[in-house]
Amino acid sequence: FKHPANLSVSSSRMDKQYLNLPEDICLVAGDNALTIARAGGRIISFTHNGKEILTQKNEHENYGSTLWTDPQSNWNWPPYEALDQLNYEGGMMGDSLCLTSRKDEKSGFQIKKIVKADSLRDCFHITYIIRNVSGESKIVGPWEVTRMPAKGISFFMRGEAARLPESTLDGVTEKEGIVWFSLNDAPLKGGQKLFSTARGGWLAHVYQGLLFVKQFEDISPRQLAPQQGEIEIYANEDKAYIELENHGIYRLLQPGESLHYSVTWHLLKLPDDIHAETGNSRLIEMVQKTIL
């Protein structure tokens, strides 16, 4: 994996030369490469043998993957600049990349992102830390937002019934407890979103012959932030991208306290005998083997 603006760091070689890192940092695990930008601490690339699955900056202003704070009703739009746009500070600490945002006066939070390449499983472990840097108690939850081209098939296991915001997303079907989503050729009437509970702690997507799996802690509906789902999928109006979103526990933080939210990203080549089609149980089997 090569990029003229990036530093490529193998998971088997982490030493002092990486303490002063450039704007974009690339970590490598087997055939997979994950690139993180200092700007917003945003994940801007995730590839398997050079094949990209995330939207890029030259495609849309909403690109790559980031972390927001729950619930959105606290900030509406845009996200807090210090947490989402401004440069994060830090570098390699041992075998992990550690980047920390500025303290955000508007929200009262500071975010730290720790990324570790796992060369044994060819995956990446990401830990998000939200710290209350204000002088008062605050309730907050972690919200990972990952933007991909509006193609392919997304799927996950639906969880227990719960009262959530109404879903408006077209192209959603359910079979034997598995929710499947794939956009058709019809125009969208505005941006659309799905809100759902989940089971098993994973959200998957197949695209370009690759299987992308986000693995995270499974939580109950009562642990969610108001007006959010454990899993949400958003499609923007012009079909420039979709968002695969997962939420963690919404909890009270006293001044100086932090919460941790851990996610593992997997990216695998789809075997020739497993077809990328809605309802294919072999896709579920492949996910289950991947997250063990």
Side-chain angles (χ1 to χ4, degrees):
F1 178 83
K2 296 181 180 179
H3 191 294
N6 291 349
L7 172 66
S8 182
V9 182
S10 169
S11 60
S12 62
R13 186 170 180 264
M14 305 289 187
D15 53 40
K16 293 181 180 179
Q17 66 175 303
Y18 300 123
L19 292 178
N20 297 314
L21 297 175
E23 292 301 303
D24 301 341
I25 306 101
C26 178
L27 304 181
V28 178
D31 294 326
N32 296 329
L34 188 81
T35 304
I36 306 95
R38 285 193 179 277
R42 184 186 304 245
I43 298 172
I44 59 172
S45 176
F46 191 32
T47 64
H48 178 84
N49 282 331
K51 187 179 289 187
E52 182 65 65
I53 65 162
L54 301 182
T55 53
Q56 299 297 291
K57 189 175 184 178
N58 61 359
E59 297 175 289
H60 200 278
E61 63 180 353
N62 293 325
Y63 64 96
S65 184
T66 191
L67 185 82
W68 289 343
T69 56
D70 269 334
Q72 188 168 2
S73 58
N74 282 354
W75 49 269
N76 295 315
W77 192 262
Y80 300 114
E81 185 181 32
L83 306 180
D84 190 66
Q85 300 292 331
L86 299 183
N87 275 10
Y88 278 49
E89 298 298 325
M92 299 306 302
M93 295 184 63
D95 59 357
S96 298
L97 172 66
C98 301
L99 296 177
T100 304
S101 75
R102 302 180 186 184
K103 295 180 180 179
D104 180 59
E105 295 182 0
K106 292 183 179 179
S107 66
F109 297 118
Q110 183 179 41
I111 291 178
K112 184 175 185 179
K113 302 179 181 182
I114 303 172
V115 185
K116 180 178 180 180
D118 185 337
S119 59
L120 295 178
R121 300 176 63 198
D122 292 353
C123 62
F124 296 87
H125 304 294
I126 307 166
T127 300
Y128 300 105
I129 302 173
I130 302 176
R131 180 171 172 246
N132 180 359
V133 293
S134 75
E136 58 186 18
S137 60
K138 289 181 171 290
I139 306 178
V140 68
W143 176 4
E144 186 183 55
V145 182
T146 304
R147 288 127 176 176
M148 306 181 65
K151 301 174 183 177
I153 303 171
S154 307
F155 57 101
F156 62 92
M157 300 172 67
R158 186 183 294 280
E160 61 187 283
R163 183 175 296 178
L164 299 176
E166 181 181 359
S167 294
T168 58
L169 187 62
D170 292 333
V172 177
T173 59
E174 184 171 345
K175 180 180 179 181
E176 298 179 351
I178 307 298
V179 178
W180 303 84
F181 163 68
S182 180
L183 282 174
N184 55 34
D185 294 331
L188 291 180
K189 298 178 180 179
Q192 299 182 356
K193 195 160 196 176
L194 172 145
F195 297 87
S196 181
T197 57
R199 182 163 54 92
W202 59 267
L203 170 59
H205 187 84
V206 286
Y207 171 60
Q208 293 196 124
L210 300 177
L211 172 65
F212 173 39
V213 183
K214 298 208 289 182
Q215 182 180 358
F216 43 83
E217 178 186 7
D218 191 15
I219 65 175
S220 68
R222 65 178 179 275
Q223 295 173 304
L224 285 169
Q227 299 300 302
Q228 307 286 178
E230 182 178 359
I231 283 178
E232 299 175 13
I233 300 177
Y234 171 79
N236 83 317
E237 184 174 5
D238 59 6
K239 295 185 178 180
Y241 65 94
I242 60 172
E243 292 179 346
L244 303 184
E245 309 172 10
N246 39 287
H247 295 252
I249 296 175
Y250 182 62
R251 52 161 293 192
L252 176 68
L253 295 181
Q254 298 297 341
E257 283 191 329
S258 301
L259 65 76
H260 291 64
Y261 183 54
S262 295
V263 179
T264 298
W265 281 25
H266 307 268
L267 190 59
L268 307 90
K269 183 181 182 299
L270 207 63
D272 293 338
D273 62 342
I274 299 182
H275 302 295
E277 55 189 13
T278 296
N280 187 348
S281 61
R282 294 194 64 191
L283 291 173
I284 310 301
E285 294 172 1
M286 189 173 176
V287 170
Q288 298 287 12
K289 291 179 181 179
T290 298
I291 65 176
L292 290 177

